[in-house]
Amino acid sequence: MSPEIGRVPSIGCGGAPIATQILLADHHELVRQGVRALLEREGYDVVAEAGDGRDAIRLAQEYRPDLAVLELTMPVLNGIDAGRAIHHECPDVKLIALTEHAEDQFVLDALEAGFRGYVSKLQTFAELVRALENVSRGSVFLSSDISEVVVESYLAKVQPAKDCLTPREREVLQLVAEGKTTKEIARLLGIGAKTGESHRTRIMTKLGIHETAGLVRYAIRRGLIEA
């Protein structure tokens, strides 16, 4: 389905949005509070909030909201991988990215992961409302600055860079880059310490990176953690 850029849809009966229940995930509590207040003023019901990607998956499974609005850079598990898991496990939950990242790599990765909306935090709140309305109706919505990136990438036949890591290896890489020890990673992921160390070794071998500082730089470039 081709993206609908800047189209303002009609409102449902009585002026209420079609999809009303929302999961909001962002690691900045102040951002969540502000967005929640604005959404509730528009008649949406924020049924749950998450501060990291793993909590977002858990809450999506528990509440089954109509829409999940996710920041892409979050601790423990990034928003793209969290969105991919939600899309797989809760396919009726529609995904929207609300993020600071406008780079084509992030946009294309998010679309590939199942996101149907992509809104830059540099845009106004009205842009997010338009995304919610469009996505709730089954359309794709990209905010104006994001749309330009995607169109240019499409015309240049740019494809998302293939990631040689498995989803579990990306989880481990993110936790390593966040400074977690192997024991802490094993506890968070529910795996044995030896398995965690094996993941770390395979990550280094696949990436050709053999020191933690290099893994951190790679994680930053891929948007798994903030600089």
Side-chain angles (χ1 to χ4, degrees):
M1 185 180 298
S2 60
E4 299 187 19
I5 300 171
R7 184 177 70 83
V8 182
S10 59
I11 302 298
C13 295
I18 287 178
T20 58
Q21 294 191 325
I22 294 176
L23 163 64
L24 184 60
D26 194 298
H27 57 302
H28 293 120
E29 185 175 358
L30 187 61
V31 171
R32 295 201 311 272
Q33 290 175 345
V35 174
R36 179 174 193 148
L38 291 169
L39 289 172
E40 290 178 342
R41 189 184 68 186
E42 293 293 320
Y44 290 96
D45 179 17
V46 179
V47 296
E49 296 182 25
D52 63 64
R54 291 182 69 84
D55 263 353
I57 296 170
R58 178 181 60 80
L59 292 169
Q61 293 171 328
E62 179 178 351
Y63 288 93
R64 302 283 171 160
D66 300 303
L67 297 155
V69 179
L70 310 179
E71 168 59 78
L72 298 187
T73 304
M74 290 191 290
V76 184
L77 182 66
N78 65 87
I80 289 179
D81 283 332
R84 183 178 285 110
I86 292 171
H87 182 63
H88 175 72
E89 298 173 20
C90 311
D92 291 336
V93 179
K94 298 180 175 67
L95 303 172
I96 295 176
L98 177 62
T99 181
E100 299 174 352
H101 296 288
E103 301 92 331
D104 57 354
Q105 183 67 57
F106 286 91
V107 181
L108 295 170
D109 282 348
L111 293 175
E112 185 274 331
F115 283 77
R116 308 303 288 171
Y118 200 109
V119 180
S120 168
K121 286 183 176 177
L122 298 178
Q123 297 297 311
T124 64
F125 176 68
E127 193 87 336
L128 175 59
V129 171
R130 285 194 288 270
L132 293 168
E133 292 169 349
N134 276 270
V135 172
S136 69
R137 290 170 171 82
S139 300
V140 175
F141 184 91
L142 308 173
S143 60
S144 55
D145 54 339
I146 301 302
S147 301
E148 183 178 352
V149 169
V150 173
V151 170
E152 288 177 354
S153 297
Y154 174 77
L155 293 175
K157 300 190 184 303
V158 174
Q159 298 294 325
K162 295 299 181 182
D163 193 341
C164 62
L165 303 180
T166 66
R168 176 47 60 92
E169 287 168 352
R170 280 196 304 274
E171 284 187 86
V172 172
L173 170 60
Q174 178 172 345
L175 293 170
V176 169
E178 290 175 358
K180 300 288 193 300
T181 66
T182 299
K183 287 184 178 179
E184 289 172 327
I185 293 170
R187 178 177 53 80
L188 283 168
L189 299 182
I191 59 178
K194 288 185 177 180
T195 301
E197 189 59 44
S198 295
H199 282 309
R200 182 175 181 139
T201 299
R202 281 199 301 274
I203 291 166
M204 288 183 165
T205 300
K206 284 184 175 182
L207 300 180
I209 298 172
H210 302 288
E211 72 287 334
T212 301
L215 293 178
V216 172
R217 290 191 293 271
Y218 180 85
I220 292 171
R221 290 198 302 272
R222 294 293 304 184
L224 300 180
I225 64 169
E226 292 181 326

